[in-house]
Amino acid sequence: MSDSEEESQDRQLKIVILGDGASGKTSVAMRFAQEAFGKQYKQTVGLDFFMKRIMLPGNLNVTLQVWDIGGQTIGGKMLDKYIYGAQGVLLVYDITNYQSFENLEDWYAMVKKVNKESDSQPFVALVGNKTDLEHMRTVKTDKHQRFCQENGLGSYFVSAKTGDSVFLCFQRIAADILGIKLNKAEMEQSQVELSSTQKQPGFGAHAQDVPHGGRVDPGVQMERGRKSQS
Ligand SMILES: Nc1nc2c(ncn2[C@@H]2O[C@H](COP(=O)(O)OP(=O)(O)OP(=O)(O)O)[C@@H](O)[C@H]2O)c(=O)[nH]1
Ligand SMILES: [Mg+2]
């Protein structure tokens, strides 16, 4: 089988990241796709795209198309179009910013509105970011858990800064979408691999960055698209 035939068998999943401005959506996507983190805040205008190929148990290659939506798009006319067709949604808040947690109600309402008439519903996960700032936490974990239970959401606590649980979060949501069960060893393995790839930026034993369209080119580290809200 030729390379292109193999690639065409890759599954592609659309994952949308939603939440207030400065909650860390771009940082989470960048940590996942590029194993990088920037301290400087640069607001996302409209949306950005990240692509990353991961491998799930059974040698299943999956390309995650991550739609990083700017926090300012809430209330804008493009938001429902960005959400449309997503198989996975990450609702991201900053654990040190209570307002960012409260406002997830509005973001989640948009997700429900867009999918109201759709046959298939996306997997939605609640993601508390910035766990490296635990000492500044203002959102109690039981509030987080209750929101998950009431709405049947996946639950994650991550730090885009340290990378803690970021890969695991994307890996598990991809596995959930595809109905694949990950055992404990596989989840732990992904953490080990993430920490080893952090020492060697750009090269992961388990995951490769791919440009748009799912075409794998080892010479291309990452390609990001930018689209402004019109
Ligand atoms: N300490 C800490 N800072 C973080 C973390 N994640 C993001 N930040 C910082 O928080 C700020 C906002 O991060 P962004 O990723 O740009 O936030 P965003 O949600 O994409 O914001 P918009 O594009 O405006 O919607 C930046 O200064 C980041 O460096 C984290 O896990 N820990
Ligand atoms: Mg952003």
Side-chain angles (χ1 to χ4, degrees):
M1 191 185 287
S2 76
D3 279 353
S4 61
E5 273 170 324
E6 269 178 33
E7 284 154 16
S8 67
Q9 291 183 350
D10 276 17
R11 292 294 304 264
Q12 282 227 24
L13 301 177
K14 174 178 174 179
I15 311 287
V16 168
I17 312 186
L18 302 174
D20 271 12
S23 58
K25 299 177 297 298
T26 301
S27 304
V28 167
M30 196 176 279
R31 168 60 73 194
F32 170 60
Q34 300 177 338
E35 287 123 32
F37 175 76
K39 267 195 189 151
Q40 192 98 30
Y41 173 41
K42 190 165 166 283
Q43 186 184 76
T44 305
V45 179
L47 79 155
D48 264 354
F49 297 103
F50 294 82
M51 299 281 278
K52 176 108 173 168
R53 190 186 199 207
I54 66 169
M55 193 183 277
L56 290 174
N59 282 346
L60 185 67
N61 284 315
V62 183
T63 299
L64 302 192
Q65 202 184 76
V66 180
W67 294 47
D68 166 28
I69 314 291
Q72 302 309 313
T73 59
I74 190 97
K77 61 178 193 264
M78 293 302 287
L79 183 57
D80 51 354
K81 294 178 178 61
Y82 298 159
I83 294 171
Y84 183 81
Q87 287 132 312
V89 176
L90 304 186
L91 297 175
V92 175
Y93 71 95
D94 170 353
I95 64 158
T96 73
N97 178 340
Y98 193 78
Q99 193 69 48
S100 72
F101 175 73
E102 276 203 323
N103 289 345
L104 284 184
E105 291 276 3
D106 298 337
W107 288 101
Y108 189 41
M110 275 304 294
V111 175
K112 287 189 282 193
K113 186 179 144 230
V114 171
N115 291 293
K116 211 163 71 186
E117 269 146 39
S118 161
D119 298 338
S120 59
Q121 296 300 313
F123 279 84
V124 183
L126 181 63
V127 181
N129 183 37
K130 311 197 186 182
T131 54
D132 56 291
L133 300 177
E134 183 61 43
H135 56 290
M136 290 163 67
R137 175 190 280 279
T138 54
V139 183
K140 291 210 173 92
T141 53
D142 59 342
K143 287 247 180 204
H144 171 114
Q145 305 297 4
R146 199 174 318 143
F147 191 74
C148 290
Q149 278 157 15
E150 282 170 4
N151 298 290
L153 311 183
S155 167
Y156 299 92
F157 289 103
V158 306
S159 167
K161 185 175 179 182
T162 65
D164 188 34
S165 296
V166 173
F167 189 86
L168 180 75
C169 171
F170 283 93
Q171 184 201 37
R172 278 190 38 197
I173 200 156
D176 283 345
I177 292 166
L178 297 171
I180 295 167
K181 280 222 180 320
L182 297 175
N183 61 36
K184 201 161 169 265
E186 282 156 351
M187 288 193 276
E188 277 164 9
Q189 181 65 13
S190 75
Q191 290 296 297
V192 173
E193 282 171 7
L194 179 66
S195 48
S196 67
T197 57
Q198 278 164 9
K199 287 179 207 122
Q200 286 182 294
F203 293 96
H206 214 68
Q208 276 176 286
D209 296 334
V210 297
H212 289 267
R215 196 173 56 83
V216 179
D217 177 352
V220 179
Q221 286 288 305
M222 191 66 216
E223 192 180 81
R224 292 173 59 182
R226 179 177 286 271
K227 201 167 158 186
S228 288
Q229 200 178 8
S230 53

